[in-house]
């Protein structure tokens, strides 16, 4: 999203200090402009710390390089574009109640944000690997140090067969704009007797888009369920998008294209290599 001209001028002003985890603006702004600058810094992940010794927007990641890149392109990644809506604690409880994570169970969280699901899954005893695309949130996840592995990558680009084993549980709240793609891809990381629990937009129940219809059919074949979450479940994260909870159990020989299923497919012969 484009950085508005007047906000850009404030951030690029030579008096503005952008260093470490802080952005400090040591000059007066009119209240309307201050509000716009504050909104953008909050959107990027900053929080105003008004203590005398600080008086700056403080970020939970090193903001300097990130901000320089934004200023160079005059754009910033908005949370809306990235589908960045942390899972509220009540929804996390619901996810975990269905996932049944116990001591030593392997878990994948493939769109991990800052770890709203990761941390409680670890508290349940899960051995959690997670994936996140955004460098700020990757930094936060690594700092927290709760997951066994934090993979900084586009999950949709990862090949399930690069993992030796499937995961016993996949728990996820993917970006809603591409939820069906994310969940379908995540099935390839699921163990043959694993369980996948995903928060998805309620439109997945109604959409006539061919990929969504095919997805619903697949889930029905596997006896999966979509349970509506209460309206306003995501209000604490700033959105009213209605959501459902998908719970589906895999089984060997079942219809889901799990990690084991992918492993069992014959390798495609490169016939042209023989020519
Ligand atoms: C709806 S938020 C949920 C975050 C986290 N699962 C939680 O429960 O709080 C979706 C997250 O997916 C990340 N994301 C979006 N596209 C992704 C991709 N292709 N690969 C990995 N992560 C992605 C976003 O950066 C964002 O942090």
């Amino acid at each position: 999203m484009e950085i508005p001209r007047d906000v850009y001028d404030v951030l690029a002003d030579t008096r503005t200090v952008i260093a470490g985890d802080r952005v400090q603006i040591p000059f007066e702004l009119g209240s309307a402009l201050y509000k716009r600058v504050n909104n953008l810094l909050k959107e990027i992940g900053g929080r105003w710390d008004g203590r005398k010794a600080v008086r700056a927007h403080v970020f939970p990641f090193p903001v300097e390089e990130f901000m320089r890149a934004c200023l160079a392109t005059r754009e910033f990644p908005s949370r809306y574009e990235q589908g960045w809506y942390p899972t509220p604690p009540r929804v996390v409880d619901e996810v975990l109640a269905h996932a049944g994570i116990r001591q030593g169970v392997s878990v994948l969280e493939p769109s991990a944000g800052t770890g709203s699901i990761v941390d409680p899954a670890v508290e349940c005893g899960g051995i959690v690997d997670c994936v996140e695309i955004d460098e700020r949130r990757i930094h936060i996840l690594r700092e927290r140090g709760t997951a066994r592995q934090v993979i900084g990558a586009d999950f949709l680009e990862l090949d399930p067969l690069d993992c030796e084993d499937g995961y016993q549980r996949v728990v996820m709240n993917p970006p809603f704009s591409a939820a069906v793609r994310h969940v379908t891809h995540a099935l390839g990381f699921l163990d043959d007797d694993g369980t996948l629990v995903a928060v998805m937009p309620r439109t997945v129940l109604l959409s006539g888009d061919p990929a969504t219809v095919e997805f619903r059919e697949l889930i029905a074949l596997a006896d999966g369920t979509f349970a509506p979450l209460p309206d306003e479940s995501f209000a604490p994260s700033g959105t009213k998008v209605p959501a459902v909870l998908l719970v589906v159990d895999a089984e060997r020989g079942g219809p889901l294209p799990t990690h084991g299923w992918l492993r069992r497919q014959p390798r495609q012969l490169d016939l042209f290599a023989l020519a």
Side-chain angles (χ1 to χ4, degrees):
M1 188 172 276
E2 199 177 336
I3 302 177
R5 177 81 220 197
D6 51 355
V7 175
Y8 174 87
D9 288 343
V10 172
L11 296 173
D13 192 296
T14 50
R15 293 168 295 171
T16 298
V17 183
I18 303 174
D21 63 353
R22 290 169 196 197
V23 174
Q24 200 167 32
I25 300 162
F27 48 93
E28 287 291 318
L29 302 178
S31 67
L33 179 54
Y34 174 78
K35 209 168 163 190
R36 284 152 63 70
V37 172
N38 182 44
N39 282 346
L40 184 133
L41 293 175
K42 270 170 54 187
E43 173 86 19
I44 288 173
R47 182 182 50 78
W48 169 249
D49 186 334
R51 284 175 299 169
K52 218 172 173 186
V54 184
R55 299 196 65 73
H57 282 82
V58 180
F59 293 75
F61 57 90
V63 73
E64 189 172 345
E65 202 182 318
F66 178 82
M67 189 62 92
R68 301 268 169 241
C70 293
L71 291 175
T73 56
R74 294 183 181 243
E75 294 202 337
F76 69 99
S78 75
R79 52 186 281 155
Y80 174 74
E81 285 164 335
Q82 292 191 315
W84 163 229
Y85 296 102
T87 315
R90 280 197 188 164
V91 180
V92 174
D93 289 347
E94 198 69 19
V95 169
L96 294 177
H98 287 88
I101 297 166
R102 295 179 308 279
Q103 200 62 37
V105 164
S106 63
V107 181
L108 176 69
E109 213 292 28
S111 38
T114 54
S116 308
I117 304 178
V118 170
D119 291 359
V122 170
E123 279 163 28
C124 293
I127 299 168
V128 182
D129 291 341
C130 65
V131 186
E132 172 56 49
I133 199 168
D134 181 88
E135 61 181 281
R136 296 163 292 174
R137 298 192 268 285
I138 294 166
H139 178 88
I140 294 169
L141 288 163
R142 291 196 171 133
E143 284 286 295
R144 294 177 89 92
T146 49
R148 174 176 65 178
Q149 255 196 99
V150 177
I151 301 158
D154 178 344
F155 173 60
L156 298 174
E157 301 274 305
L158 298 183
D159 183 347
L161 293 183
D162 286 343
C163 296
E164 193 137 326
D165 298 306
Y167 289 87
Q168 292 166 289
R169 301 287 183 275
V170 175
V171 284
M172 62 196 296
N173 169 18
F176 278 11
S177 57
V180 168
R181 276 182 74 203
H182 275 254
V183 175
T184 305
H185 191 60
L187 289 171
F189 292 79
L190 188 64
D191 206 50
D192 269 347
D193 58 2
T195 297
L196 177 144
V197 183
V199 181
M200 301 186 78
R202 218 177 275 174
T203 50
V204 75
L205 302 179
L206 305 166
S207 170
D209 149 66
T212 310
V213 172
E214 197 180 319
F215 177 74
R216 281 199 301 267
E217 286 168 359
L218 177 66
I219 298 301
L221 277 176
D223 289 330
T225 57
F226 292 101
L229 290 165
D231 288 344
E232 315 266 321
S233 284
F234 273 82
S237 300
T239 173
K240 293 188 171 176
V241 178
V244 292
L245 194 68
L246 164 66
V247 182
V248 63
D249 295 321
E251 59 172 336
R252 195 185 160 99
L256 298 179
T258 58
H259 188 266
W261 182 87
L262 291 174
R263 268 269 146 88
R264 289 189 292 276
Q265 299 313 296
R267 288 203 180 272
Q268 200 163 6
L269 289 177
D270 187 355
L271 296 175
F272 294 103
L274 300 173

